[in-house]
Amino acid sequence: MVKNLDSSNCIGVYLFADAHYCNSLKRDAEAFIFSHFLDVLGEEEFFSLSHEDLGELLLSEKLRIDNEFQVLKAAIDWISHDLQTRRRHIFSLVKCIRLPIISQQQLERYVEGLKDLGLKIGLRKILQDYKSDFSLARDARMGKINVINWQPRQCAKKNIYVIGGYSRLQDAKWSDNITLGNMEMFDSFKQTWTLLPPLRYARSGIGVAALAGRIYAVGGESNSLIHDSAEVYDPDERCWKPIPSLTSPRYPY
């Protein structure tokens, strides 16, 4: 890695290396941009990128981001910096963004808050096209097709959730198990654990699935009682909500 690279000069170095065919220097600058993408967005140099260079960066699996919404906002901020000449690039840049993995609610709030009518209409048209393609959405969810835009980037932040389960003191009897309703999240960027709102019903052996940005918990067992209840965690509202119960109580063991 080239010394003295920082968020204020890395794009300048990247553009210089690209113009002079300095491939090694370009790779180093590019790696820095990917690793510090959120810091680079706050620098004036970011807005000097051409739409081709920006599109190439936004396509990368290596962008170190918290969530895909940050990539969308970066593209729109770049366009808004010079609306008159850059508005026409909205469709090509948004193609670089994985819209299906951004919360629909978050997308709609963001579009509604845009001040430029042209941008607002353009983004609404793009979002409407995604909504109308139900067959693609279904096939992607079922794993029948491998659509890259439906998958998080390789270097995007991954959160690991640990939900429910049971605990007992060392050397305690099996009957002394304590059923847990806790939920904790491990942040793979910060390497930290965070305590989140607990389940509505403590249980172990839960069936858990992540779908469309939410976490579903179904069935399980607590104190020899097998549950048919189910609930869903909404990360935007930070709470568990009840959903229709299973047709039969279930426990995987």
Side-chain angles (χ1 to χ4, degrees):
M1 178 67 71
V2 177
K3 293 181 179 180
N4 300 323
L5 266 180
D6 59 40
S7 57
S8 66
N9 67 17
C10 60
I11 288 181
V13 173
Y14 171 81
L15 296 175
F16 173 87
D18 186 46
H20 292 83
Y21 304 99
C22 302
N23 294 331
S24 177
L25 180 60
K26 181 182 177 181
R27 282 195 298 271
D28 284 348
E30 191 175 58
F32 186 94
I33 292 170
F34 292 150
S35 296
H36 301 83
F37 184 67
L38 300 181
D39 295 325
V40 171
L41 299 182
E43 300 294 339
E44 189 64 28
E45 271 199 340
F46 172 74
F47 300 106
S48 68
L49 286 167
S50 67
H51 80 276
E52 294 92 350
D53 288 327
L54 178 60
E56 184 177 338
L57 293 174
L58 297 186
L59 279 171
S60 177
E61 289 281 346
K62 299 178 181 179
L63 284 184
R64 191 173 174 87
I65 54 174
D66 293 333
N67 54 69
E68 193 68 18
F69 175 74
Q70 292 168 329
V71 186
L72 171 65
K73 190 173 184 306
I76 300 302
D77 285 350
W78 180 89
I79 293 171
S80 300
H81 192 72
D82 185 0
L83 272 172
Q84 188 171 356
T85 58
R86 295 180 176 180
R87 186 186 287 112
R88 59 193 174 93
H89 298 306
I90 184 172
F91 292 97
S92 62
L93 288 177
V94 170
K95 285 181 180 179
C96 305
I97 299 162
R98 305 180 183 193
L99 291 177
I101 64 173
I102 303 175
S103 159
Q104 193 67 39
Q105 188 178 27
Q106 188 175 32
L107 281 172
E108 290 173 357
R109 282 200 304 263
Y110 180 67
V111 173
E112 189 60 33
L114 291 174
K115 295 180 179 179
D116 182 74
L117 182 60
L119 281 180
K120 185 178 291 190
I121 292 172
L123 268 179
R124 279 179 176 166
K125 174 64 171 67
I126 293 168
L127 295 180
Q128 189 59 45
D129 289 344
Y130 272 99
K131 284 183 182 179
S132 63
D133 201 343
F134 292 115
S135 60
L136 177 62
R138 183 190 63 244
D139 290 346
R141 287 197 301 270
M142 296 177 67
K144 293 181 179 179
I145 54 174
N146 183 22
V147 184
I148 193 169
N149 274 357
W150 291 77
Q151 302 170 7
R153 297 167 193 263
Q154 290 179 6
C155 293
K157 182 171 72 173
K158 308 295 192 302
N159 292 331
I160 300 172
Y161 295 85
V162 178
I163 304 170
Y166 64 85
S167 176
R168 68 174 180 269
L169 297 175
Q170 189 174 4
D171 299 324
K173 293 185 294 185
W174 182 264
S175 58
D176 293 332
N177 287 344
I178 300 171
T179 306
L180 304 174
N182 300 11
M183 177 167 69
E184 296 182 61
M185 181 189 75
F186 180 71
D187 186 320
S188 63
F189 274 13
K190 299 177 182 177
Q191 299 286 294
T192 57
W193 286 96
T194 301
L195 192 63
L196 297 176
L199 292 162
R200 298 176 70 249
Y201 299 106
R203 51 184 122 176
S204 62
I206 320 166
V208 177
L211 180 64
R214 297 184 176 186
I215 300 173
Y216 291 79
V218 297
E221 182 267 347
S222 174
N223 299 323
S224 300
L225 172 67
I226 300 177
H227 286 272
D228 63 358
S229 61
E231 49 192 299
V232 60
Y233 179 72
D234 186 333
D236 291 333
E237 298 186 22
R238 291 179 61 84
C239 68
W240 288 93
K241 300 177 181 179
I243 56 175
S245 298
L246 298 166
T247 55
S248 304
R250 297 193 185 184
Y251 180 63
Y253 303 112

